[in-house]
Amino acid sequence: MPRFLRQFGLRTLLLFCLLVAIVFGLLRWQMDGIHRQHAVAKELLEKGASIEWKTSGLRWVRDWVGDYYFTQVVAIHLQEKKLHDADLQVLEDLPALERLYLAGNPLITDATIGHLQGLKHLRRLALCATGITDDGLTKLATLQELEALDIKHTQVTQAGLSRLAPLPNLEELYHRFEFTDEGLAAVAQLPVVHFRELQVQELSEQGFALLPKIRFSGITLQSPQVPDWPRFLYHHPTMGQIVLSDAAITDEQAKQLIKTNDLYKVILTNVPVSDQVLPALAALGNWLSVHVKGTKISANGFLTHFGDRKPLKISISEESISMSSMGLPSLYLSYTGPVPLDDIPGLAHLSDADYLSVSSKKVAIDLSHLPSLPSLSGCYFDAPLNDTALAGLSHQPSLGTIAVKTVGDQFTPNGLRALKGCPCLETLLLDAEVPLTDKHLAAISACKQLQSLAIVSHGEITPQGIAYLADLPQLTELSIGFKEQPDGEVLAEIAKLKKLETLKITESIIKDENIPSLMEMTHLKELIVFRARMSAAGKERLRLALPGVLVEVYDQLKPRFPL
């Protein structure tokens, strides 16, 4: 025996040897386990799996030994791989597995859950569209770290959900149930689970009484039959969304429901509430989304109360209103019901709107109630527009864009001339169905700040009308369409607009005989021609004549302009 060992007793040496044997045994067991994990990973990869690994352990040990023995499988994706239960027995050799996704394998049964019972670190499990039943849920009881479970489109029943009660950390449960009394009784036993959306149907008073015990962010209720059912949702600890349809509820009940919950999304469809609930709705917090349809709420009431929430974008038609702000916090509001476009004083409350869109095929929009809106920068009208409406826009201090897409001649040159009162108007877009004459262009020429103009000639714009555009000192972009082949003299007059940088000729039949007039436009930076009937030689001739101009010639029509 070496001299340095003689100082130790035999018992001490035996204990030391035992300790060394245990340490090396554990190392060998760990190494064998890692080897087995790599073998399982290879087998699963052959079945089309996607695998994620995680390396852990002391850095200095890993530098000495290498990462191989400290890297384990933590996530496996095996969705829609036509797997059977026997294919998943190898999962038992992956003790560090944290996330397992088996969705879309209908041949997997409860037997597979038996292979997972030893995975003590499993936190997320997706069993969507598999053959799992209530008995399979019972076997999950050993997965004490499980936090999220997906059982959509399985054979699990509502009553079977009570078998998840032994899972202390289960917070997310993904399903497709419309819960009845029986289902709510089951999920009431899962106090940690938080449902993103709870859909319920045919609840009795006993079912409603269970709702305060269940954690959910949103609830969908359709045709509740229990008298005074809203009282079960007053002061709910987690509810932030409610979707309610075909429900009997009074204004007072609705106000109490809104005031006693921290709601951020409310959808009411065919619910007999009136304008009396609007103050409570409008007082809700940030990130608000409210949608009402088939109620007794009026359009003007909706605009009046929610206008104070300072929406930025407003869209109005004869049947709906939508208001939104896409910034932080976001705001999205919609009203579906009759909108009296000829009498909407509620517009006076849209103090922070920067975009207004109005659509109608019947009634002229009344903008006489529109006050000076300091932020309004763009307006789009797909509605009959008269001089009074244009006059209502003339005093908007920040209005930079007006787009009109309508049928008829409701506005006159005098209405257009009133737009000179818009100090920031830079873009005016008049769509193809707005018939214009030289008098209209003369009126437009009074808007000295215009930089971009879109018009269409119905045969009544002459060279004299184009000449009026020379009075627009900042006009750099012109989009003009002709219902017929344009007159050469009109194109020649356009060529005299030397400050133009971009010319777009739309909805026009441009042929080779028009090319000489276009060749005079050497001052342009960009020339775009739609619906051209030019020959290939004509197109090339035009490009050679304008070497400093980006020339684009298309045979199709130009799409309608966007705002």
Side-chain angles (χ1 to χ4, degrees):
M1 177 183 296
R3 181 176 299 177
F4 76 92
L5 293 178
R6 294 176 184 174
Q7 58 184 315
F8 301 105
L10 180 61
R11 179 178 295 179
T12 302
L13 291 175
L14 289 175
L15 288 174
F16 175 76
C17 291
L18 177 62
L19 179 61
V20 171
I22 291 174
V23 170
F24 277 96
L26 289 173
L27 288 175
R28 183 62 186 178
W29 175 79
Q30 173 73 7
M31 293 168 64
D32 288 344
I34 296 298
H35 287 309
R36 179 56 185 158
Q37 286 195 47
H38 282 269
V40 169
K42 181 179 180 181
E43 183 177 341
L44 293 177
L45 287 172
E46 292 174 353
K47 290 181 169 64
S50 173
I51 297 177
E52 299 177 36
W53 300 77
K54 181 180 180 180
T55 301
S56 58
L58 296 174
R59 184 69 202 183
W60 67 270
V61 178
R62 288 159 45 199
D63 290 341
W64 179 43
V65 178
D67 288 341
Y68 179 87
Y69 291 108
F70 297 89
T71 301
Q72 300 190 74
V73 176
V74 294
I76 296 177
H77 299 259
L78 278 166
Q79 297 95 323
E80 299 180 352
K81 302 302 180 185
K82 300 180 180 179
L83 299 175
H84 295 75
D85 293 327
D87 298 319
L88 299 174
Q89 185 175 357
V90 294
L91 296 176
E92 297 175 0
D93 294 315
L94 304 176
L97 194 63
E98 298 176 2
R99 303 184 302 279
L100 178 60
Y101 303 96
L102 300 174
N105 290 287
L107 300 179
I108 291 177
T109 71
D110 296 337
T112 286
I113 307 300
H115 303 318
L116 310 182
Q117 290 179 303
L119 304 180
K120 305 301 183 181
H121 300 288
L122 194 65
R123 294 186 294 106
R124 306 188 73 86
L125 176 61
L127 299 172
C128 174
T130 64
I132 302 300
T133 70
D134 293 351
D135 291 336
L137 298 190
T138 303
K139 297 180 181 180
L140 294 176
T142 61
L143 306 180
Q144 295 291 289
E145 298 298 319
L146 194 64
E147 299 172 358
L149 177 64
D150 184 352
I151 53 170
K152 297 190 299 289
H153 309 298
T154 64
Q155 298 179 41
V156 172
T157 67
Q158 295 187 32
L161 296 178
S162 62
R163 305 190 186 193
L164 298 174
L167 301 176
N169 294 300
L170 185 64
E171 295 184 357
E172 303 173 35
L173 182 61
Y174 301 94
H175 62 91
R176 284 288 186 269
F177 293 125
E178 291 187 4
F179 286 107
T180 60
D181 287 0
E182 181 183 39
L184 291 184
V187 299
Q189 302 177 47
L190 312 176
V192 180
V193 173
H194 189 118
F195 294 91
R196 291 185 180 180
E197 182 180 356
L198 195 70
Q199 296 188 14
V200 298
Q201 62 174 349
E202 301 178 355
L203 294 187
S204 68
E205 186 165 342
Q206 289 73 27
F208 272 102
L210 291 169
L211 292 177
K213 303 176 183 179
I214 301 171
R215 292 161 49 88
F216 57 84
S217 296
I219 187 169
T220 298
L221 289 162
Q222 183 174 7
S223 305
Q225 300 300 314
V226 175
D228 197 22
W229 62 266
R231 74 181 191 276
F232 296 103
L233 293 175
Y234 296 160
H235 301 284
H236 193 279
T238 62
M239 184 174 70
Q241 307 178 46
I242 183 166
V243 179
L244 185 60
S245 60
D246 301 299
I249 184 173
T250 67
D251 285 339
E252 289 303 317
Q253 289 173 328
K255 287 191 290 184
Q256 186 73 359
L257 184 60
I258 295 166
K259 291 178 179 179
T260 60
N261 289 287
D262 188 15
L263 299 176
Y264 53 87
K265 184 174 183 178
V266 179
I267 300 178
L268 304 176
T269 305
N270 299 329
V271 177
V273 294
S274 70
D275 288 359
Q276 292 186 34
V277 305
L278 290 175
L281 283 172
L284 291 174
N286 296 326
W287 311 95
L288 182 60
S289 179
V290 174
H291 311 268
V292 297
K293 179 181 180 180
T295 67
K296 297 180 181 179
I297 293 173
S298 68
N300 274 305
F302 191 81
L303 286 169
T304 298
H305 288 88
F306 283 111
D308 294 334
R309 291 300 300 263
K310 300 181 179 181
L312 299 181
K313 301 189 181 301
I314 319 294
S315 296
I316 303 176
S317 72
E318 294 169 311
E319 299 176 346
S320 66
I321 299 171
S322 66
M323 302 188 283
S324 63
S325 296
M326 294 297 106
L328 299 176
S330 64
L331 180 72
Y332 187 68
L333 314 166
S334 72
Y335 161 92
T336 302
V339 181
L341 293 179
D342 55 344
D343 183 21
I344 43 177
L347 291 175
H349 293 265
L350 306 179
S351 58
D352 281 47
D354 70 359
Y355 171 85
L356 175 64
S357 170
V358 182
S359 300
S360 172
K361 299 302 181 184
K362 300 177 182 178
V363 183
I365 178 68
D366 180 9
L367 298 180
S368 62
H369 304 292
L370 194 66
S372 178
L373 303 178
S375 300
L376 188 64
S377 62
C379 288
Y380 174 82
F381 298 97
D382 185 5
L385 206 62
N386 54 31
D387 289 352
T388 302
L390 291 176
L393 297 174
S394 64
H395 54 271
Q396 299 303 323
S398 301
L399 188 58
T401 298
I402 297 176
V404 179
K405 177 182 182 293
T406 187
V407 178
D409 55 353
Q410 289 81 8
F411 63 83
T412 69
N414 287 334
L416 288 173
R417 188 172 289 107
L419 295 179
K420 69 180 180 180
C422 297
C424 296
L425 185 62
E426 296 180 349
T427 302
L428 180 61
L429 310 176
L430 304 177
D431 194 22
E433 301 305 322
V434 180
L436 299 178
T437 66
D438 290 350
K439 291 182 179 180
H440 288 90
L441 296 191
I444 291 172
S445 69
C447 303
K448 302 300 182 182
Q449 67 281 5
L450 270 185
Q451 299 178 14
S452 179
L453 176 64
I455 57 176
V456 174
S457 171
H458 288 248
E460 299 183 23
I461 293 179
T462 70
Q464 178 58 47
I466 299 298
Y468 288 128
L469 300 183
D471 294 333
L472 296 173
Q474 300 184 56
L475 187 66
T476 58
E477 181 175 352
L478 176 63
S479 175
I480 184 168
F482 300 90
K483 287 300 184 180
E484 300 176 353
Q485 184 177 1
D487 183 275
E489 294 182 3
V490 170
L491 292 177
E493 199 64 40
I494 293 175
K496 295 178 182 179
L497 303 176
K498 299 302 182 182
K499 292 185 179 180
L500 277 187
E501 297 178 358
T502 299
L503 174 63
K504 299 177 183 178
I505 301 178
T506 66
E507 302 188 43
S508 308
I509 302 174
I510 299 292
K511 298 182 178 180
D512 285 2
E513 52 261 39
N514 299 119
I515 291 177
S517 298
L518 298 177
M519 292 169 57
E520 300 297 323
M521 302 181 186
T522 55
H523 56 285
L524 293 178
K525 294 182 179 179
E526 186 176 24
L527 172 61
I528 304 176
V529 181
F530 295 89
R531 202 180 177 187
R533 300 279 182 88
M534 297 182 191
S535 65
K539 295 177 184 178
E540 184 62 22
R541 178 188 173 196
L542 179 61
R543 292 190 177 94
L544 292 174
L546 302 173
V549 180
L550 175 62
V551 177
E552 299 180 34
V553 180
Y554 303 97
D555 296 332
Q556 75 272 21
L557 284 171
K558 174 185 179 294
R560 298 293 191 195
F561 56 77
L563 184 60

